[in-house]
Amino acid sequence: MTTLILLIPSDWPQHRRDCSWLLRDRSGRIVRQGHSEPAYWPGIGETNGDTAGCPCEILLSGSQCASQRARLPQTARARSPQVIAGALEDNLLEAPEQLLFAAAEAGTDETSAIGIIARQRLAGIVALLRELGLAPRAAWPLGMALPAGHAWLYAGSLDLALADGSFASLDSDPHLGSWLAQLPISSYRNLDRQLPDSVTALLETGRNSGELRDSGTEPASLSLPAGAGFLYGELAPAKPRLVLARHFRHAGQLAAGAALLVAVLATAQWIWLERQANDYRQHVVTRFRQAFPQATLVDPLLQMRRQVDNARRQAGQLADDDFLRLLGPLASLTPNEAGLLGEIRYEQGRLHLLSQLNAAALGRLAEAGRSQGLRLIAEATPGSFSIQAGDLR
């Protein structure tokens, strides 16, 4: 993926529609450059699925940006517009509300280079780029993106990066020649097609003497400071989370599809189990009517269990809720554990016991009851429990 970098001169778009541009890859290397009108800029009309538009970065050249230096507090909010405006209050010619500020990282002297531009000027540029389908992500002065001592001649101005991190912008008029010898320029790149003859001659002299190096034949060297620069408040770029959501869109769609499939399968299984349960209940009712055609149907399982208990008693056998049947699980206790039984009481088909049995003995007693179709139920009184016939419903 490449990022479009636009070099916006001071008279764009009022007096010209063309400007220089560069394409930077992920590693920060400039892979392509050119000069054209917006219709021929790379990426125009290509959103790559991002509704905000094709991302771009803005470098502002010439006198539209001013440079200042200030010592800013070493806090998290040190580079907020309010703090910067307060630090530069005595040096500003306009109200801070009409300006935008971009501060670089502090240098070794703990002072920061600060770029300044008119809010209305940059707001107009950003609005026009957004209308063209671009999404500005950062905006900085050109001089703050150049290596120290490097100058670019572009669109009637000279932008120079100074050693202290600040920058200078001068008009490349015939009088610029008298300044060049005084400026700390080690190399330059000429993008201006209409340089005055005096400036061209002085550059050629410096190049021939070895004092100046023409970097025009080398790949452009740009290093934008971290952050969005002038773009904050209403000019701030779209939130990064919107871009991340685009990358995870397909994964989210797959996850949603899988969740829907699981929900459909779970619903189908529940319907199938509910149908089986209804068939089973209907089967019990049918069997009950076949066995007891004269009985009133209320709870077929409970009624059939009572009928079976009555049939057992008539045949001389024990029913599930008889006293002797409920005593069966106590045979699993050892003699010492049996001596811990304090009270045994039988009433309404339940055997109530009060004991001092430990947890192991109670667990063994409950297991013995389950094997005989009986249940062990703890009661409210400590050490009290009851044994009753298992619930077949």
Side-chain angles (χ1 to χ4, degrees):
M1 177 181 178
T2 57
T3 300
L4 176 65
I5 302 176
L6 298 174
L7 273 62
I8 303 296
S10 301
D11 57 353
W12 189 91
Q14 290 81 5
H15 301 292
R16 66 164 68 204
R17 290 185 55 81
D18 60 321
C19 73
S20 294
W21 50 264
L22 305 100
L23 275 181
R24 185 185 62 194
D25 61 14
R26 290 182 180 272
S27 64
R29 183 171 57 92
I30 302 300
V31 296
R32 186 181 168 195
Q33 61 186 38
H35 187 99
S36 62
E37 294 187 358
Y40 303 100
W41 291 348
I44 288 292
E46 300 176 7
T47 61
N48 296 323
D50 190 349
T51 57
C54 181
C56 71
E57 296 174 344
I58 306 170
L59 290 178
L60 302 145
S61 69
S63 59
Q64 59 187 327
C65 293
S67 175
Q68 293 282 349
R69 288 186 64 81
R71 188 183 300 273
L72 300 176
Q74 299 299 315
T75 63
R77 292 176 53 84
R79 284 168 177 74
S80 67
Q82 296 79 7
V83 173
I84 297 175
L88 300 177
E89 184 176 5
D90 296 337
N91 299 331
L92 298 179
L93 300 179
E94 299 182 53
E97 295 78 13
Q98 300 176 5
L99 303 173
L100 295 170
F101 306 95
E105 295 293 333
T108 55
D109 58 353
E110 298 184 355
T111 60
S112 300
I114 301 170
I116 307 170
I117 191 173
R119 180 184 294 271
Q120 184 176 3
R121 164 66 178 161
L122 187 58
I125 294 174
V126 171
L128 180 56
L129 293 178
R130 287 175 176 170
E131 289 178 4
L132 293 173
L134 298 176
R137 302 299 187 195
W140 292 91
L142 173 59
M144 294 180 70
L146 298 176
H150 198 94
W152 279 27
L153 294 151
Y154 172 59
S157 65
L158 178 144
D159 291 89
L160 169 64
L162 302 176
D164 60 2
S166 60
F167 63 95
S169 297
L170 300 173
D171 292 335
S172 56
D173 54 24
H175 300 288
L176 178 62
S178 60
W179 285 90
L180 283 179
Q182 310 298 325
L183 295 175
I185 302 176
S186 59
S187 64
Y188 70 93
R189 177 180 292 267
N190 182 19
L191 301 179
D192 199 333
R193 303 177 182 180
Q194 298 179 348
L195 274 181
D197 293 339
S198 60
V199 176
T200 302
L202 192 59
L203 291 175
E204 183 176 356
T205 301
R207 185 173 63 251
N208 294 334
S209 65
E211 296 179 358
L212 289 177
R213 181 173 58 87
D214 184 0
S215 63
T217 59
E218 304 171 2
S221 177
L222 289 174
S223 178
L224 275 71
F230 291 125
L231 300 185
Y232 54 83
E234 69 276 7
L235 300 181
K239 297 293 184 181
R241 61 182 178 85
L242 299 178
V243 179
L244 291 176
R246 182 188 68 202
H247 295 301
F248 290 104
R249 180 184 304 164
H250 296 301
Q253 291 173 346
L254 289 176
L260 179 61
L261 179 61
V262 170
V264 170
L265 293 176
T267 303
Q269 185 179 26
W270 179 84
I271 294 174
W272 180 69
L273 292 175
E274 180 65 19
R275 181 175 179 179
Q276 280 192 318
N278 288 334
D279 292 343
Y280 175 71
R281 285 191 289 267
Q282 186 62 38
H283 178 73
V284 170
V285 171
T286 302
R287 287 298 184 91
F288 179 82
R289 292 192 183 279
Q290 292 175 351
F292 309 101
Q294 305 300 326
T296 301
L297 181 65
V298 178
D299 187 334
L301 283 178
L302 181 60
Q303 289 175 283
M304 291 180 69
R305 187 174 64 181
R306 290 177 176 173
Q307 293 287 350
V308 170
D309 287 343
N310 291 334
R312 284 179 175 176
R313 292 190 183 98
Q314 293 175 4
Q317 299 178 5
L318 294 176
D320 287 338
D321 57 354
D322 281 346
F323 175 73
L324 293 178
R325 173 70 184 278
L326 298 177
L327 282 176
L330 298 182
S332 64
L333 299 177
T334 65
N336 291 335
E337 292 172 341
L340 298 177
L341 297 175
E343 177 183 341
I344 298 178
R345 185 177 75 257
Y346 174 78
E347 57 184 6
Q348 297 182 353
R350 288 191 179 189
L351 189 66
H352 301 271
L353 300 100
L354 182 63
S355 71
Q356 298 179 359
L357 296 174
N358 56 28
L362 290 175
R364 195 164 59 256
L365 189 62
E367 182 63 29
R370 279 194 296 271
S371 66
Q372 301 176 30
L374 304 176
R375 289 194 301 164
L376 187 70
I377 302 175
E379 297 183 347
T381 305
S384 178
F385 59 92
S386 63
I387 300 176
Q388 69 177 61
D391 191 354
L392 298 179
R393 288 175 293 178

